[in-house]
Amino acid sequence: MLKETHEDLVFEFTRDPALLQQYNRLYAAEFRAVQNAEHYHHVEDEHDKRADFLIVRQGSFCIGGGRLSTKSPCQPHPLPVESNGFKVEDYLPHLGQKEITYGQAGRICLLPDFRGGDVTTRIIWHINRKAVALGWELMVATAPLLNARNNTKLCRRIGLDTKIYFDIPVPPYPMCEGIKMYFMTINVNQSLVDSRTEPMKNPRHNF
């Protein structure tokens, strides 16, 4: 049985099949409920095969997580947002001109009892930490407007400069037609990693 405490949560990047299965089911269920997308279900794609997955667990139970996809001169694979002719570098051309490594964070989810506070903030902190480890200089994301605004507040609270772009047209994701997404950039912050201070007492992490 899950305990309604946030102190014994473990945040780790893993490809453990059992945990990933739980995470994918959780994300799909949350997306259907929150976005009223009753036909949405998880289908593994090429992005899943290359991604780094953050799993938040309590014991062996996954209570949340997120997905990170990397793009670099050595790994020029398209990001999840890059479909139907959409290319991030068409709107942020300096990324290609300077051969910058960057990536997309997405599919962040949490069980209802853990939402709306410190656990989400800690997920963002761990994602930034991993992004630094992967050599990212910029993080991009997409989200419905309410989610984008909430995530912007949480990112800025821990020192991550974030911007929502209202003039960048985000193509629809599979099974998400009709849900308007907004493009975001988050500046990766090395100083948060240097401080090694997670936004809570007694941090636990596994890279």
Side-chain angles (χ1 to χ4, degrees), residues 18-29:
L19 290 172
L20 288 182
Q21 184 180 53
Q22 291 182 57
Y23 161 75
N24 287 325
R25 287 176 178 172
L26 173 59
Y27 175 78

Side-chain angles (χ1 to χ4, degrees), residues 104-119:
Q104 180 174 350
R107 293 192 176 180
I108 295 174
C109 61
L110 272 174
L111 284 175
D113 289 344
F114 297 88
R115 294 177 197 163
D118 68 299
V119 180

Side-chain angles (χ1 to χ4, degrees), residues 2 10 13 51 58 71 74 96 113 119 131 159 183:
L2 293 177
V10 176
F13 281 86
Q58 193 173 69
K71 188 170 187 178
C74 296
D113 289 344
V119 180
F183 188 83

Side-chain angles (χ1 to χ4, degrees), residues 70-116:
T70 299
K71 188 170 187 178
S72 72
C74 296
Q75 295 178 299
H77 310 292
L79 297 175
V81 69
E82 295 183 306
S83 65
N84 300 313
F86 180 92
K87 294 183 179 180
V88 170
E89 291 172 16
D90 287 343
Y91 298 92
L92 303 174
H94 68 284
L95 296 176
Q97 294 167 359
K98 297 182 179 180
E99 295 191 335
I100 289 174
T101 295
Y102 60 100
Q104 180 174 350
R107 293 192 176 180
I108 295 174
C109 61
L110 272 174
L111 284 175
D113 289 344
F114 297 88
R115 294 177 197 163

